[in-house]
């Protein structure tokens, strides 16, 4: 029996929630009166509500955008499914980090998530190209003041904002943004880039600010940020002294100890310079990377299966098998170069994978004997077949086609994004 809930377009069938919106009339290429039906792959009510609200907002933004008149129902469904998967990966990563720290009742973790959420809220409202100082008179500071953000948390929000903004302005992130727009056939224009980025910031802010589900045991009365009174032990401290940042929280005790961020590790020492100068010297990308987990190469196969489960409604069986084959090949290439975990993968290994595709038999996937060979033995077999073909004057049956290579690298990008979305260390 279908059960409807308070969130628009959210229904439940059995233990699974679905998002079933009616396609707006502005999508002229979609049949009139048609609906989208997207499984949220979640049985938790709060998580489903969060994703449904996010998808409702996305659909409203697309309705007002320039691509509404040229988008088909299939394209719209794929775009919404991708947004669902991104939200699921993000929420699962946050929940995993909370469980890994083993502090579901600590109000400090709630504060850090809310501070990081407000950092993304600033990026959503003002964009990544506007630099906010959060000083008096700054529009970003005015937004925080209107929402009742205490002064004691401003410095930490500023640090999270600077970190998130610097990562988004990195050229690698811009290329990934354009790749997403190209995948969903969104015209590559400055306006569409801003809209896509705004949706990403909004989704991350909404996920981070939904702290009730992640910290059900936390007492909200212990923090000003959640509507309570300030902690007793910090009553005598200066209001402009920054608290612990989210990046250093996993290695700090629950006691309120002044600290200094360094380029190597979040050591706990006294502040020797003003907060503004101290934050200006911090490599926030390095601090963020220090909180990620290195995934052993031997666990890549299991993570690939987790990815296939996430994509079960979007991928066909052939696509899932292609992804498994790619991960198997990539794992073999990494093991050849003595790579032990995900944090050691560099661009060099991506290049070795590309060269590997040139040196293996074209039809290797259709032979169980060739599939059983190691990557090195498979290349040796390819070299032998190439030499035999040159000796007989026949066409060499070695090297994958350009279309197949593009398919493998698309699957590789999806797999690496899945690893990063689940909190595993993947270098840019």
């Amino acid at each position: 029996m279908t059960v409807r809930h308070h969130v628009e377009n959210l229904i439940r069938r059995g233990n699974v929630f679905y998002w079933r919106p009616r396609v707006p009339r502005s999508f002229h290429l979609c049949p009139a009166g048609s609906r989208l039906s997207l499984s949220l792959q979640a049985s938790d009510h709060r998580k489903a509500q969060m994703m449904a609200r996010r998808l409702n907002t996305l659909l409203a933004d697309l309705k007002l955008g320039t691509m509404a008149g040229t988008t088909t129902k299939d394209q719209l469904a794929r775009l919404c499914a991708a947004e669902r998967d991104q939200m699921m990966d993000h929420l699962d990563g946050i929940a995993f980090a909370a469980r890994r720290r083993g502090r579901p009742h600590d109000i400090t973790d709630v504060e850090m998530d809310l501070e990081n959420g407000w950092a993304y809220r600033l990026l959503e409202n003002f964009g990544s190209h506007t630099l906010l100082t959060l000083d008096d008179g700054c529009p970003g500071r005015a937004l925080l003041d209107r929402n009742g953000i205490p002064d004691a948390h401003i410095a930490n929000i500023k640090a999270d904002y600077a970190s998130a903004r610097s990562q988004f302005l990195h050229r690698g992130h811009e290329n990934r943004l354009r790749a997403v727009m190209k995948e969903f056939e969104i015209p590559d224009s400055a306006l569409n880039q801003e809209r896509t980025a705004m949706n990403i910031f909004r989704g991350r802010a909404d996920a981070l600010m939904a702290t009730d589900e992640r910290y059900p045991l936390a007492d909200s009365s212990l923090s000003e940020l959640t509507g309570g009174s300030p902690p007793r032990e910090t009553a005598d401290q200066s209001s402009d002294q920054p608290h612990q940042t989210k990046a250093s929280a996993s290695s700090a005790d629950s006691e309120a100890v002044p600290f200094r961020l360094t380029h190597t590790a979040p050591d706990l020492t006294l502040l020797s310079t003003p907060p503004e100068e101290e934050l200006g010297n911090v490599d926030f990308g390095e601090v963020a990377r220090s909180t990620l987990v290195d995934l052993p190469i031997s666990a890549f196969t299991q993570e690939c299966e987790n990815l296939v489960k996430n994509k079960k409604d979007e991928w066909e069986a052939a696509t899932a098998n292609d992804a498994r084959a790619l991960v198997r090949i990539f794992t073999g290439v990494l093991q050849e170069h003595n790579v032990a975990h995900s944090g050691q993968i560099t661009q060099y290994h991506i290049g070795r994978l590309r060269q590997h595709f040139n040196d293996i038999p074209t039809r290797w996937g259709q032979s169980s004997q060739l599939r059983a060979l190691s990557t090195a033995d498979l290349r040796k077999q390819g070299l032998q077949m190439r030499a035999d073909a040159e000796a007989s004057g026949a066409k060499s049956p070695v090297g994958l086609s350009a279309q197949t290579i593009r398919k493998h690298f698309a699957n590789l990008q999806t797999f690496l994004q899945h690893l990063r979305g689940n909190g595993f260390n993947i270098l840019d």
Side-chain angles (χ1 to χ4, degrees):
M1 178 179 178
T2 300
V3 180
R4 296 187 179 275
H5 292 265
H6 298 297
V7 179
E8 184 182 4
N9 300 324
L10 178 64
I11 64 174
R12 187 181 69 184
R13 293 174 178 170
N15 292 328
V16 180
F17 286 90
Y18 289 81
W19 182 64
R20 280 184 52 81
R22 188 179 299 277
V23 178
R25 294 182 179 179
S26 55
F27 292 88
H28 304 301
L29 298 183
C30 300
S34 61
R35 285 183 178 271
L36 297 176
S37 182
L38 178 65
S39 170
L40 298 182
Q41 301 178 1
S43 57
D44 184 270
H45 189 194
R46 292 181 178 177
K47 183 181 292 187
Q49 283 184 326
M50 190 184 312
M51 287 192 290
R53 290 191 183 100
R54 178 70 189 91
L55 290 170
N56 287 336
T57 304
L58 174 65
L59 186 61
D61 289 341
L62 294 176
K63 173 184 176 182
L64 300 176
T66 57
M67 60 178 294
T70 59
T71 302
T72 64
K73 183 178 178 180
D74 180 64
Q75 292 172 338
L76 190 60
R78 289 192 294 113
L79 180 61
C80 294
E83 182 67 23
R84 175 206 60 194
D85 293 341
Q86 182 179 359
M87 282 288 292
M88 282 290 292
D89 289 342
H90 191 65
L91 291 172
D92 290 343
I94 293 175
F96 171 77
R99 291 193 301 269
R100 186 168 180 266
R101 289 198 296 267
R103 301 188 300 181
H105 62 282
D106 197 332
I107 194 63
T108 306
D109 292 342
V110 178
E111 290 180 333
M112 288 185 295
D113 280 4
L114 291 175
E115 289 164 348
N116 205 8
W118 276 111
Y120 280 111
R121 194 68 77 196
L122 291 173
L123 288 170
E124 174 196 347
N125 284 275
F126 298 98
S128 59
H129 297 286
T130 302
L131 177 60
L132 302 176
T133 62
L134 299 189
D135 297 330
D136 292 338
C138 173
R141 180 62 177 270
L143 175 63
L144 297 178
D145 291 340
R146 286 197 302 269
N147 286 274
I149 304 301
D151 293 340
H153 295 271
I154 297 297
N156 201 24
I157 294 176
K158 180 178 180 180
D160 290 337
Y161 165 79
S163 175
R165 180 175 179 270
S166 64
Q167 291 179 11
F168 193 82
L169 291 178
H170 191 274
R171 185 169 182 82
H173 199 294
E174 180 182 351
N175 292 336
R176 287 192 294 271
L177 181 64
R178 289 180 173 174
V180 171
M181 296 174 61
K182 183 178 180 180
E183 179 181 358
F184 296 104
E185 300 180 2
I186 301 175
D188 188 1
S189 65
L191 183 59
N192 285 338
Q193 288 182 19
E194 286 295 325
R195 286 174 174 168
T196 305
M198 182 190 68
N199 289 328
I200 293 174
F201 295 144
R202 180 182 299 159
R204 294 181 180 179
D206 292 344
L208 284 165
M209 289 183 172
T211 56
D212 292 341
E213 176 188 353
R214 295 191 298 277
Y215 308 102
L217 303 180
D219 187 356
S220 59
S221 64
L222 298 179
S223 171
E224 289 183 291
L225 199 57
T226 55
S229 57
R232 184 175 303 175
E233 62 270 18
T234 60
D236 297 332
Q237 296 180 359
S238 173
S239 61
D240 59 352
Q241 180 175 348
H243 291 205
Q244 290 177 323
T245 64
K246 184 175 183 64
S248 63
S250 60
S251 62
D253 294 330
S254 59
E255 299 176 358
V257 181
F259 69 100
R260 171 199 293 269
L261 288 175
T262 66
H263 291 274
T264 56
D267 299 327
L268 300 178
T269 58
L270 294 179
L271 283 171
S272 59
T273 57
E276 293 78 5
E277 298 179 11
E278 191 70 27
L279 293 173
N281 297 326
V282 173
D283 185 352
F284 290 102
E286 183 66 26
V287 174
R289 285 190 292 271
S290 68
T291 64
L292 300 177
V293 179
D294 292 326
L295 179 68
I297 299 300
S298 59
F300 273 27
T301 302
Q302 180 58 46
E303 279 304 317
C304 180
E305 292 301 323
N306 294 338
L307 173 61
V308 171
K309 291 179 182 178
N310 293 343
K311 297 285 189 179
K312 63 179 180 180
D313 292 335
E314 182 179 352
W315 280 2
E316 299 178 352
T319 305
N321 291 332
D322 289 340
R324 294 187 181 100
L326 178 275
V327 172
R328 186 167 64 250
I329 296 173
F330 190 44
T331 300
V333 172
L334 295 177
Q335 290 173 342
E336 277 191 276
H337 293 84
N338 300 318
V339 176
H341 55 76
S342 60
Q344 296 177 342
I345 300 175
T346 65
Q347 186 64 36
Y348 171 78
H349 303 114
I350 306 298
R352 291 299 88 197
L353 175 65
R354 177 62 181 85
Q355 187 60 43
H356 178 79
F357 290 148
N358 293 335
D359 298 333
I360 63 176
T362 304
R363 303 296 182 182
W364 74 274
Q366 301 177 6
S367 170
S368 58
Q369 182 179 2
L370 292 179
R371 289 199 304 269
L373 297 178
S374 66
T375 52
D377 293 338
L378 188 60
R379 287 198 302 274
K380 290 180 182 179
Q381 182 69 24
L383 293 176
Q384 182 62 42
M385 294 174 63
R386 180 174 290 166
D388 294 342
E390 291 177 354
S392 62
K395 182 179 179 181
S396 174
V398 178
L400 304 184
S401 66
Q403 181 179 358
T404 303
I405 293 175
R406 283 195 298 268
K407 176 185 65 179
H408 282 314
F409 271 97
N411 288 331
L412 177 62
Q413 182 181 14
T414 301
F415 179 66
L416 295 180
Q417 288 176 346
H418 167 77
L419 294 183
R420 175 170 288 185
N422 281 274
F424 297 114
N425 189 14
I426 297 293
L427 300 178
D428 289 336

